Amino acid sequence: RRDGRRGAGNRTGGERRGPRVLVFVLLAVAGACALLWPYALHHVGALDGLMHASPAEDARASLPLKGTSSEAGVAIPHGLAEASPGRRDHGPPPAPAPARAQAGGVARAPPRVSLGGHAPSGGPGGASSSGRASHGGNSGHGGGGSGGASPTDRAAPRSGQDRAGRKGKLMCGGKATDSEVIYWREVPGDRDFESPITPHHDEHHLKYLTFQYDQGGWNNIRMGMEIVIVCGHAMGRTLVSPPQQKLYLLGKTHYDEKKKRQVRAPAFSFADFFDLDLLASHNGFHVTTMDDFLAREGTTGQLHGILPPNNSSDVWGPSLWSYLNEVADVKPTWSGKFLAMPRDSADLQKDPTAVVNEPHLAERLQKFGGRRTAVFYDKKMQDAKVVHFPAGGGHRLLQHWYAFTFFADPKVQSFYKRFVRDFMRYKDVIQCAGAELVRAIREDARILNSGSGNASVSATSDGDYYALHVRRGDFQFKQVKISATEIVKNLGVNAIIPRGAVVYISTDDPKGVCQNCVFQRKPCPQGAAARGIVGCIEDPSWDAFRELAGWKVRFLGDYLNRGVLKDVNPNYYGMIESIACSRAKAFAGTWWSTFTGYIHRLRGYHGLGEETYYHSPGRRDAARSEVSVGHGFSREWRAGWTDDGGELI
């Protein structure tokens, strides 16, 4: 530099080195920025929650920072971010999350992410206007929505492109695949979220949740599993996965790749259908196997000194269920009721009725439960070592998790909706097979409708198709076993599905003969003799779909005969068909069917929930009603995939 004592040509050696020093400084700064850039990106999701907050929410977000989320090295779940008083930043960038250690087969988590601040519209994770309900949103009903922030407190609804997180991943044949069947998302911070009800994550390996599979069909089993998985995470318990067993209607002979042979009457566990590794990857969720649990706790006498049969960890069937019934500390009888969870571990020290009698909580609780009785999760249950859910009777959990489990904190309710959507999904092999079937149906639609000149069949270049689920067979609800003619009339002929459209039919009666339909424990009479008998069909054929409605119908067998789904386990077919139905332009299903219900939920995740109907008598528009949550299994509810403003989670 120059000063008043030296001329331009008279610089010292130090001054001549100045430019070079400056260059080195600039290079050092650039290098530091490059190193810190990934950590800055790590916080984008958390900061986004504040960036989208309304002024009222922004003020509330300036609460003192609780917990140690920044020191723990975990991202803050989207919309749950907290700020220090008077600040909009989150302190220094966190260190990468530590790898979880394994202790005897039980996954361990890093310290819990703090629950602070207030979520933007719809709670953590944001929302999507593409999922807005056309009949009044949630109307104040539903988990995570009832009694939340007033409209003036909510941020503006987000667009479909601005939903929280990014599109999830799907691996098909060892390669990353971008497919329309992907509905799950990767939301910043969600993977590290620890239940605020759990005193400390280390207690996961000390307390357990065991359960017996429901004795009904696959979707009944799935519903019960969703409840116990959410409860396991929320209660801070290690979920014990039951051993394989024979499941109702899932016993088709198939070639087993691992055993390299044909398997007859196979046994299954939920790990055969759901991505257990994905669940275990969640740092707030802990799972172990039944044999590990029995080896660690049973054979060592840690369960009230009662040893398992033959003091073995290899126990299954009735002997296993009897043993678990004997050693369990709590066996909830919650059928027909709903579970009310506290806000955090501090609430466990209080009278739960006093907590929920706070005005805003009492209103939410009443809207959520309706006439049902609330069961409060309390300290006694939290202190129990083993909570066991038997199957059947008053223990049966035949309802939807989001209508069963109430969380006092609406932000937590919103998190669990995403947790089920993003972490409890079918394995990639099933999703990939579903994508294959969707592609085949769309190709059919393109070919069959090309140059048809039918204006009512729109967007044929995109391969639009429609879908029905028609349940017959051994279905106990006989009044919904109806003919194709009745289905067409109940749907208003071509009011929903236009003439000339390709319609995929998912059914347990593909031949159209009402197979397994019975009357007084005998096969239904045929033809005119079946007239007037509920559950028996005079004309069970599918002819009316073609002749009366003018649809081009397709069944699973049509595609199997072409080599689609070659070498796929036939026990996956029902799940694959549900994926195909979830992508149809419009879908109509069978009332009371949990298979139809899950398709409705998948369509809700995709933003297609409002294009879902029932073909059963008097139920056509039930899926699109204003009421957004309710008790029971007969249908799914909008609250399963939307926030309190009617936006997609």
Side-chain angles (χ1 to χ4, degrees):
R1 64 178 177 84
R2 301 188 184 201
D3 60 30
R5 293 171 297 174
R6 294 187 177 94
N10 188 26
R11 299 181 184 176
T12 66
E15 289 171 320
R16 287 192 295 270
R17 287 193 299 269
R20 280 176 284 177
V21 172
L22 179 60
V23 169
F24 291 140
V25 170
L26 291 174
L27 287 173
V29 171
C33 290
L35 286 172
L36 292 174
W37 179 246
Y39 298 104
L41 288 177
H42 189 68
H43 273 283
V44 167
L47 290 171
D48 185 57
L50 292 175
M51 290 164 63
H52 286 84
S54 66
E57 289 165 329
D58 185 49
R60 289 196 296 265
S62 297
L63 298 172
L65 184 64
K66 297 186 295 182
T68 58
S69 58
S70 61
E71 291 113 7
V74 290
I76 299 176
H78 190 95
L80 295 181
E82 292 181 302
S84 315
R87 295 180 61 183
R88 290 297 298 272
D89 63 273
H90 295 270
R100 295 189 301 151
Q102 295 283 334
V106 181
R108 308 288 288 278
R112 178 168 64 250
V113 172
S114 175
L115 268 182
H118 287 251
S121 176
S128 165
S129 61
S130 64
R132 179 173 295 280
S134 60
H135 296 276
N138 273 13
S139 304
H141 299 271
S146 311
S150 66
T152 57
D153 289 333
R154 296 193 188 109
R158 298 177 177 221
S159 69
Q161 291 74 28
D162 200 25
R163 288 175 65 188
R166 60 180 181 271
K167 189 176 182 180
K169 298 176 181 177
L170 177 63
M171 299 296 292
C172 298
K175 297 180 181 179
T177 302
D178 185 15
S179 170
E180 66 175 278
V181 306
I182 300 174
Y183 59 80
W184 52 95
R185 303 183 70 78
E186 296 179 1
V187 181
D190 271 9
R191 187 178 296 275
D192 296 311
F193 181 71
E194 184 88 2
S195 169
I197 301 163
T198 308
H200 194 276
H201 69 275
D202 277 345
E203 294 197 7
H204 278 280
H205 71 286
L206 300 175
K207 298 176 181 178
Y208 302 91
L209 191 154
T210 61
F211 69 100
Q212 182 180 356
Y213 291 121
D214 190 273
Q215 302 303 297
W218 166 248
N219 280 284
N220 295 6
I221 296 169
R222 174 191 52 77
M223 289 166 62
M225 286 163 47
E226 287 178 340
I227 289 177
V228 298
I229 286 173
V230 168
C231 286
H233 186 287
M235 295 176 183
R237 295 181 174 275
T238 295
L239 183 71
V240 182
S241 173
Q244 289 187 328
Q245 67 180 66
K246 295 179 181 179
L247 302 178
Y248 179 60
L249 297 179
L250 289 175
K252 296 183 177 71
T253 299
H254 68 284
Y255 183 80
D256 190 298
E257 285 291 341
K258 292 182 179 179
K259 298 179 180 179
K260 301 299 180 183
R261 62 179 176 83
Q262 290 289 113
V263 178
R264 298 181 182 274
F268 295 103
S269 72
F270 77 77
D272 290 300
F273 305 103
F274 284 98
D275 193 337
L276 193 59
D277 289 337
L278 177 66
L279 269 170
S281 74
H282 192 285
N283 289 327
F285 182 76
H286 302 257
V287 63
T288 191
T289 60
M290 184 62 70
D291 58 349
D292 178 79
F293 167 71
L294 293 176
R296 181 193 308 217
E297 303 288 348
T299 61
T300 57
Q302 300 300 309
L303 302 176
H304 307 290
I306 303 172
L307 301 178
N310 301 319
N311 198 21
S312 171
S313 62
D314 185 17
V315 184
W316 66 288
S319 297
L320 173 62
W321 309 130
S322 296
Y323 176 70
L324 293 176
N325 283 332
E326 186 177 6
V327 300
D329 299 294
V330 176
K331 292 179 290 185
T333 52
W334 291 343
S335 182
K337 304 174 184 178
F338 72 98
L339 176 64
M341 302 294 286
R343 289 167 296 199
D344 50 38
S345 58
D347 279 353
L348 292 173
Q349 311 301 322
K350 306 173 185 177
D351 178 0
T353 57
V355 173
V356 299
N357 278 335
E358 297 176 14
H360 66 289
L361 274 182
E363 181 183 357
R364 284 187 64 239
L365 189 74
Q366 194 281 326
K367 288 180 178 178
F368 182 93
R371 298 180 181 179
R372 293 179 291 163
T373 301
V375 178
F376 297 98
Y377 186 72
D378 55 19
K379 189 175 186 302
K380 179 181 178 181
M381 188 172 294
Q382 177 70 19
D383 290 342
K385 183 169 186 174
V386 178
V387 174
H388 176 60
F389 288 93
H395 306 287
R396 195 180 191 194
L397 299 175
L398 189 59
Q399 52 185 308
H400 304 297
W401 78 266
Y402 56 82
F404 171 77
T405 317
F406 170 86
F407 290 91
D409 189 335
K411 300 187 297 295
V412 175
Q413 193 97 40
S414 183
F415 161 76
Y416 281 110
K417 291 180 183 182
R418 298 195 308 277
F419 175 67
V420 171
R421 179 195 67 187
D422 300 337
F423 288 89
M424 191 177 174
R425 61 174 178 83
Y426 290 141
K427 297 169 65 171
D428 280 2
V429 65
I430 298 174
Q431 302 285 358
C432 295
E436 181 185 359
L437 181 57
V438 169
R439 287 194 300 270
I441 300 171
R442 289 206 186 281
E443 185 61 25
D444 250 5
R446 292 187 186 98
I447 294 172
L448 292 172
N449 290 322
S450 60
S452 65
N454 188 349
S456 64
V457 181
S458 61
T460 55
S461 61
D462 293 331
D464 281 352
Y465 67 94
Y466 299 76
L468 300 177
H469 169 233
V470 184
R471 181 75 159 90
R472 287 178 173 176
D474 63 346
F475 201 41
Q476 65 267 44
F477 301 102
K478 300 181 183 297
Q479 57 269 50
V480 297
K481 297 182 187 179
I482 57 178
S483 68
T485 299
E486 291 175 273
I487 290 174
V488 170
K489 291 180 178 179
N490 291 340
L491 293 177
V493 189
N494 297 124
I496 297 169
I497 304 177
R499 180 171 291 274
V502 170
V503 181
Y504 181 82
I505 312 294
S506 174
T507 181
D508 56 352
D509 185 32
K511 296 180 181 179
V513 296
C514 207
Q515 187 175 0
N516 297 324
C517 294
V518 297
F519 173 66
Q520 295 181 346
R521 299 185 179 182
K522 296 180 180 179
C524 280
Q526 297 181 355
R531 188 178 304 164
I533 300 176
V534 178
C536 298
I537 305 173
E538 182 177 357
D539 177 13
S541 75
W542 307 115
D543 293 344
F545 289 160
R546 303 179 182 91
E547 298 169 3
L548 179 60
W551 300 333
K552 300 167 183 175
V553 299
R554 290 292 183 272
F555 297 88
L556 178 63
D558 295 324
Y559 297 100
L560 296 179
N561 292 336
R562 299 181 198 171
V564 178
L565 306 183
K566 184 179 180 182
D567 298 328
V568 171
N569 186 335
N571 291 289
Y572 293 159
Y573 285 169
M575 301 158 204
I576 293 166
E577 287 197 279
S578 69
I579 294 170
C581 291
S582 76
R583 296 301 301 152
K585 186 171 183 179
F587 166 77
T590 303
W591 185 257
W592 280 309
S593 166
T594 54
F595 182 85
T596 281
Y598 193 52
I599 293 170
H600 187 195
R601 170 126 51 103
L602 295 179
R603 291 178 63 78
Y605 289 152
H606 283 295
L608 296 170
E610 302 305 315
E611 296 303 322
T612 301
Y613 305 84
Y614 290 98
H615 54 66
S616 305
R619 302 285 188 180
R620 189 182 83 170
D621 295 309
R624 305 165 74 244
S625 64
E626 274 193 45
V627 178
S628 291
V629 70
H631 169 63
F633 63 89
S634 60
R635 55 161 295 181
E636 292 266 357
W637 303 85
R638 193 179 289 117
W641 54 88
T642 63
D643 63 17
D644 59 333
E647 306 291 333
L648 282 179
I649 55 174

